[in-house]
Amino acid sequence: MRKLVLGMFVSLDGFVSGPGGEADWIFKSGDDATDEWIVDHLWQAGLIAMGSRSYRDMATFWPSSDLPFAAPMNAIPKVVFTRKGLAGAPGGQATTARTDAERAQRESEPAAPVQGSWANPMVASGDLSDEVARLKTQPGKDIRALGGASFAQALAASGLIDEYHLLVCPVALGQGVSLFSGLSKPVDFQLVGTRTFGGGAISLVYRPA
């Protein structure tokens, strides 16, 4: 069974974003080594999972990006967790409501976007725990959860994350959004990997104990 791995940037005082969702601070300590670490871990995933808000932001950004992370972000299949669907979302979702039969009747219509691409991501609209359990049983490399704090908080609070890849940045925000604010009780972790970078960031890899 494949794992669900969460990748997140974290401030020194434990926040994953500022109080208004600010995230510009994550880039201040980046360097070639941190970029390489992130890219290497992205390529270890067979599926990228995110919430609908992150999808709407990323689907308009990554396809034309020349950042080092763009290649894996664009190549690896995506799944979006949403109860409301993605009608009208960027990346061509407004056109995906037609059935395969309707497409077949229109020979002149361009080929449908590849499932799992930004233009046609897989959609998980059921119960969060059930959907994650279903995806974990599918063959392939691990699932990597990225994106917004709300989605990450829900995964953490539900105990669905098998491994945390946290990149701790040398900045204190004072206030913000905590990854673990939804926990109903304390959770113990086992540290399984660390690495320090020249820009001051530290990678911490934890698994629930």
Side-chain angles (χ1 to χ4, degrees):
M1 180 178 292
R2 58 183 177 176
K3 302 190 300 289
L4 175 63
V5 178
L6 176 70
M8 293 291 286
F9 291 89
V10 184
S11 70
L12 196 60
D13 49 352
F15 299 115
V16 295
S17 71
E22 300 88 352
D24 55 321
W25 51 274
I26 67 177
F27 303 108
K28 293 180 179 180
S29 58
D31 55 21
D32 290 343
T34 55
D35 288 352
E36 181 180 354
W37 185 86
I38 294 169
V39 170
D40 286 346
H41 282 79
L42 283 172
W43 280 124
Q44 293 175 21
L47 184 65
I48 293 176
M50 67 197 76
S52 59
R53 184 179 301 176
S54 293
Y55 164 74
R56 292 172 189 274
D57 291 338
M58 292 184 183
T60 60
F61 175 78
W62 286 115
S64 60
S65 172
D66 59 358
L67 290 175
F69 325 114
M73 289 298 295
N74 289 325
I76 299 169
K78 270 69 68 176
V79 59
V80 181
F81 284 74
T82 174
R83 295 289 183 90
K84 299 178 180 179
L86 292 173
Q93 279 296 326
T95 67
T96 61
R98 284 176 292 193
T99 66
D100 291 339
E102 289 172 324
R103 289 193 181 98
Q105 293 174 3
R106 300 185 58 179
E107 296 181 358
S108 61
E109 184 175 336
V114 176
Q115 186 181 36
S117 65
W118 288 117
N120 186 27
M122 292 174 276
V123 176
S125 58
D127 176 79
L128 180 63
S129 296
D130 292 342
E131 292 284 11
V132 169
R134 176 180 62 83
L135 292 170
K136 284 184 177 181
T137 61
Q138 294 177 352
K141 295 190 290 186
D142 290 341
I143 306 161
R144 191 168 186 90
L146 300 174
S150 296
F151 180 53
Q153 286 175 329
L155 293 173
S158 300
L160 299 172
I161 300 170
D162 300 297
E163 199 164 276
Y164 290 79
H165 291 188
L166 306 178
L167 194 62
V168 182
C169 301
V171 58
L173 302 181
Q175 55 183 330
V177 179
S178 168
L179 173 59
F180 298 107
S181 62
L183 294 181
S184 59
K185 60 181 180 180
V187 177
D188 294 325
F189 291 94
Q190 176 187 9
L191 180 65
V192 296
T194 64
R195 181 177 171 180
T196 58
F197 298 95
I202 303 174
S203 71
L204 303 174
V205 178
Y206 283 102
R207 293 173 186 158

